[in-house]
Amino acid sequence: MSQKRPDGIREYDEPAGGWGALQAVAAALKREQVVVQGVRTLLQNNQPSGFDCPGCAWPDPKHTSAFEFCENGAKAVTWESTAKRVPPDFFAQHSVSELWKRPDHWLEGQGRLTHPMRYNPATDHYEPVAWDEAIADIAARLNALDHPDQAEFYTSGRASNEAAFLFQLFARAFGTNNFPDCSNMCHEPTSVGLPQSIGIGKGTVSLEDFDHCDFILSIGHNPGTNHPRMMTALHDAAKRGAAIIVCNPFRERALERFQAPQVPLEMATMTSEPIASAYYQVKVGGDAAMLKGISKALIDLDRAARSADAAPVLDRAFIAGHTAGFDAFVADLDQTRWADIETASGLTQRDIESIARAYAKSTAAIVCYGMGITQHRTGTWNVQQIANLLLLRGNMGRQGAGICPLRGHSNVQGNRTVGITEIPSPALLAGIKAAFGFDPPTKFGHSVVHAIAAMRDGTAKAAICLGGNLAVAAPDPQACFAGFRKLDLAVSLATKLNRTHLLTAKATYILPVIGRTERDAQASGAQAITVEDSMSMVHASRGFLTPPSGEVRSEPWIIGQLARATLGERVPVDWEGLVGDYERIRDGIEAVLPDFEGYNARIRQPGGFMLPNSAAMRIWKTPNGKANFLIFPHLEEDLDTDEPDVLRLASMRSHDQYNTTIYGLDDRYRGVFGRRDVVFLSQREMDRLGFAEGDLVNVETALRFAHPDRIVRALTLVRYDLPDGCCGAYYPETQPLIALEHIDPQCLTPSYKSVPVRLRRASADDAATTTVVREGLVGRASNGGGS
Ligand SMILES: Nc1nc2c(c(=O)[nH]1)N[C@H]1C(S)=C(S)[C@@H](COP(=O)(O)OP(=O)(O)OC[C@H]3O[C@@H](n4cnc5c(=O)[nH]c(N)nc54)[C@H](O)[C@@H]3O)O[C@H]1N2
Ligand SMILES: Nc1nc2c(c(=O)[nH]1)N[C@H]1C(S)=C(S)[C@@H](COP(=O)(O)OP(=O)(O)OC[C@H]3O[C@@H](n4cnc5c(=O)[nH]c(N)nc54)[C@H](O)[C@@H]3O)O[C@H]1N2
Ligand SMILES: [Mo]
């Protein structure tokens, strides 16, 4: 048993949270050279008078509590407030071709961008440019396009409501609805699936509901890493005795055991709270089958209860009064065979029945889910199966109950609310027209997959990116990188250097922005911005740190300047007036979106305010006015291949990363240290396929329509407790495996969690590939380490 494990791989026996997390915060502070400023920053994060944490979208307890400790929030804050800088000198020293060879981890690790920069193709260097000149040239190039639809306006969900609202106003006044945005790659199945089910594309629970539930089903998310503040809610619920059932192919440490850094006794005595009362290792891609199985078992329990004259299991009154489609739903489940459910989910009928029994016993239930549910070809259907399960027992729109999608970026939900959408509603367009006096375009625009395809095909000519790292976050770098390089104009508003900035177009700009932690002064004085969390709470955020240089600007300022220079007198919008005082932007949002009534006054209340949530009030804004049971007529997504040895690969985040931002090379809770070049596979599958832990393998896509060169070379096999037929690896290293066509047809979200792959033994040549694999996308440990 004591076989030697590969370099950097060892068991991690500690609970999640606890001292390990405190040590990691100290290390992050040191790495980013933030000592005095850092501690102050952390203390004011998520405080009533401070800034909203740029880490995740989990709400803060009434926004009045003492500082809630969070390791990964601390990393996000220190990453932004770092003392490291990327000034013009840096670009004078490094050509773009040279930077291209550096790993992503190194690029971002250089620090904050300080000056507006323009790429000079003659020298292959970025050079400083005056703001006026940059703005005028970008405007001229936008105006030189044949049609506004040749421009793509990308948003990453860190932008404030104010920045996002101005951005969509600018793009719509310019004449397009092309708004590819990070939620297209993230919770789009929620935004598209839930309106059909319950009439709103958001979660229905509030933080308080976690104090009142006695059953939590956690599916396909890793909160110990990605929503660490949620661990407090789970920890408290577990302590109260609520049943917490986890369905996840990976055994995630924080979902098993968690030590709360806020609880002195747990810290002092090194004890921890078990979180999950039961842990089911569903297959990757097996959720629809599992969820259908739970509903089927529940319906059978109800039948048994009725014939025994026992208390009913289903909430018949709710089903009759509030829903439609129940009979057809039951008929579909009745003809679905247990044997098929077992094969597709990887769970036994008994497992699934015990989940159903625990659910049947509960009085108030919440289902939480993340990317393990959404990033599949069946993502939209998966989300709808969760809604069905909740509707069966009336767990929607009452205390302690509801659906809880764990949103991604800290303001991704707010961006959507204020108009970042390629499929605008007639109400949004009418609101813009009434408030701003121009006719916005009505033709639907591009999402991420459309936008990348348009770049690849040469029909898109310009990309303006409000944050993010689109080229690395998107699937199919083969199409995406080439597409970016064909553009006439590429502009990135950014805090840090990343690979998207190195994909140079005919004209390429990097515009450095103020981060959320920093003071933002405009004509009327210091400004606050606002954000919306996962639970529809809108609140203000005020940065107070000194920006990294006198030459960085706020996102609203840059957007306002671009809009004024591009549109001139064409639209009657007073861009300067809006940017001079963000209260005026909020007045504009309120004028377009009635849900924001009293916006400026209401954000002065501690904790802000909650946007109306119709489903939480049992108002169903669906075409038939009912909550709908929606059928998924299959059990599995079609992997488009019949090869027997094909595995489903889930790409996911390590504990030391924020999306494409790699803070460090450890994934502590999974026992991986100093490297990311691994594939996780069970011992059983290694035996079956003739491999051993430590073997070097190439991972190849097994999609029929795939590019021949969808391959990531020389990854090391690491043993992990996983169901049969699945493997896992880190995002974004696996991006070359994912075809642009491999998407959920309803919402176009890439199937980042169900990539059909085969493993092949790597040759000496593969192993000797330079330390940087595939155009620099992968920083091997030997190269990227330390920092
Ligand atoms: N520190 C930190 N915080 C973050 C982020 C970050 O990168 N770092 N990213 C932010 C963003 S944008 C997002 S969207 C969220 C992401 O948060 P998560 O949704 O937690 O993201 P992932 O790490 O991609 O995937 C998580 C889980 O999905 C499971 N999984 C994979 N495939 C399947 C499947 O088929 N079925 C089931 N049931 N589970 C599966 C994996 O085992 C893993 O536990 O976090 C946000 N918060
Ligand atoms: N294979 C695979 N691919 C995935 C996923 C996956 O699970 N697997 N997850 C998908 C998901 S859920 C998401 S949300 C996307 C993420 O896609 P993006 O949102 O595009 O990516 P990020 O890595 O969050 O963007 C990081 C960059 O944002 C910039 N930035 C940071 N803060 C600010 C700011 O305040 N203002 C501005 N203007 N810029 C800032 C910095 O320059 C930094 O380099 O990736 C998706 N891609
Ligand atoms: Mo996300």
Side-chain angles (χ1 to χ4, degrees), residues 598-622:
Y599 198 169
N600 281 307
R602 285 202 288 168
I603 58 166
R604 289 193 196 100
Q605 305 159 10
F609 64 98
M610 188 174 172
L611 288 171
N613 189 305
S614 47
M617 298 182 286
R618 295 199 165 178
I619 296 165
W620 317 107
K621 293 192 170 173
T622 51

Side-chain angles (χ1 to χ4, degrees), residues 264-289:
L265 193 65
E266 283 183 9
M267 292 292 282
T269 56
M270 301 286 276
T271 50
S272 58
E273 186 69 26
I275 297 292
S277 24
Y279 208 116
Y280 295 96
Q281 288 181 277
V282 61
K283 272 189 188 171
V284 170
D287 302 277

Side-chain angles (χ1 to χ4, degrees), residues 186-515:
C186 182
H187 264 292
E188 193 73 52
T190 301
S191 309
V192 168
L194 284 187
Q196 301 167 29
S197 292
I198 58 170
I200 186 168
K202 302 180 179 184
T204 66
V205 295
S206 71
L207 194 51
E208 232 191 288
D209 286 317
F210 281 82
D211 298 335
H212 298 283
C213 67
D214 56 3
F215 178 92
I216 298 172
L217 189 58
S218 149
I219 317 179
H221 67 127
N222 183 20
T225 289
N226 295 321
H227 300 90
R229 283 177 299 118
M230 182 190 192
M231 292 314 303
T232 310
L234 292 180
H235 179 266
D236 294 351
K239 262 205 145 70
R240 275 195 300 109
I244 300 180
I245 293 189
V246 175
C247 303
N248 194 317
F250 273 72
R251 296 196 76 88
E252 303 290 17
R253 175 48 45 94
L255 290 168
E256 298 179 310
R257 269 191 296 147
F258 181 73
Q259 188 176 61
Q262 305 89 333
V263 179
L265 193 65
E266 283 183 9
M267 292 292 282
T269 56
M270 301 286 276
T271 50
S272 58
E273 186 69 26
I275 297 292
S277 24
Y279 208 116
Y280 295 96
Q281 288 181 277
V282 61
K283 272 189 188 171
V284 170
D287 302 277
M290 173 188 75
L291 288 158
K292 284 181 78 164
I294 305 172
S295 289
K296 181 179 170 73
L298 204 70
I299 288 163
D300 288 342
L301 283 175
D302 186 65
R303 287 179 179 139
R306 282 163 154 244
S307 56
D309 261 346
V313 169
L314 304 183
D315 185 341
R316 295 269 170 187
F318 175 83
I319 293 171
H322 287 276
T323 73
F326 176 70
D327 293 339
F329 176 62
V330 173
D332 175 65
L333 293 179
D334 281 342
Q335 56 97 37
T336 306
R337 294 174 17 213
W338 275 112
D340 298 332
I341 293 177
E342 289 186 330
T343 313
S345 67
L347 301 179
T348 63
Q349 180 177 349
R350 269 179 68 175
D351 288 340
I352 293 176
E353 285 172 345
S354 49
I355 304 175
R357 269 195 306 277
Y359 177 44
K361 272 204 292 200
S362 69
T363 56
I366 294 176
V367 184
C368 308
Y369 66 94
M371 299 297 103
I373 281 287
T374 61
Q375 293 176 332
H376 296 275
R377 289 177 90 174
T378 53
T380 304
W381 287 282
N382 289 351
V383 169
Q384 292 172 343
Q385 301 319 301
I386 294 178
N388 292 341
L389 188 63
L390 288 163
L391 294 176
L392 284 174
R393 288 181 46 78
N395 276 309
M396 203 61 98
R398 65 184 170 85
Q399 197 178 46
I403 192 160
C404 178
L406 273 306
R407 288 278 168 178
H409 268 295
S410 53
N411 196 37
V412 59
Q413 187 161 316
N415 284 195
R416 267 293 155 85
T417 306
V418 301
I420 300 292
T421 170
E422 71 281 11
I423 32 179
S425 67
L428 174 69
L429 299 177
I432 291 173
K433 179 170 181 172
F436 291 96
F438 68 88
D439 276 303
T442 53
K443 190 181 138 210
F444 289 171
H446 288 166
S447 73
V448 163
V449 163
H450 285 130
I452 304 292
M455 290 185 198
R456 175 195 62 195
D457 301 342
T459 52
K461 301 282 184 199
I464 315 283
C465 298
L466 177 55
N469 188 4
L470 174 58
V472 176
D476 217 330
Q478 292 89 338
C480 188
F481 289 3
F484 261 93
R485 289 189 168 118
K486 279 198 262 183
L487 293 172
D488 290 345
L489 174 67
V491 179
S492 288
L493 283 69
T495 50
K496 293 217 173 171
L497 183 63
N498 64 44
R499 191 163 305 282
T500 300
H501 309 153
L502 304 179
L503 291 163
T504 53
K506 288 205 185 87
T508 320
Y509 288 89
I510 308 175
L511 305 179
V513 303
I514 289 176

Side-chain angles (χ1 to χ4, degrees), residues 80 108 154 156-158 182 185-186 371 375 409 466-470 473-474 493-498 501 513-516 555 651-653 658-661 731 734-735 738 752-753:
E80 182 171 295
E108 271 220 34
Y154 176 69
S156 160
R158 198 176 277 197
C182 73
M185 301 181 269
C186 182
M371 299 297 103
Q375 293 176 332
H409 268 295
L466 177 55
N469 188 4
L470 174 58
L493 283 69
T495 50
K496 293 217 173 171
L497 183 63
N498 64 44
H501 309 153
V513 303
I514 289 176
R516 199 181 283 177
E555 292 170 341
S651 64
M652 52 192 187
R653 293 153 174 80
Y658 195 93
N659 298 340
T660 69
T661 297
Y731 142 62
T734 46
Q735 232 54 316
I738 304 170
Y752 293 125
K753 296 277 187 280

Side-chain angles (χ1 to χ4, degrees), residues 40-58:
R40 199 175 148 222
T41 319
L42 286 176
L43 289 173
Q44 293 210 14
N45 160 14
N46 288 29
Q47 288 294 290
S49 59
F51 52 82
D52 180 70
C53 180
C56 73
W58 185 256

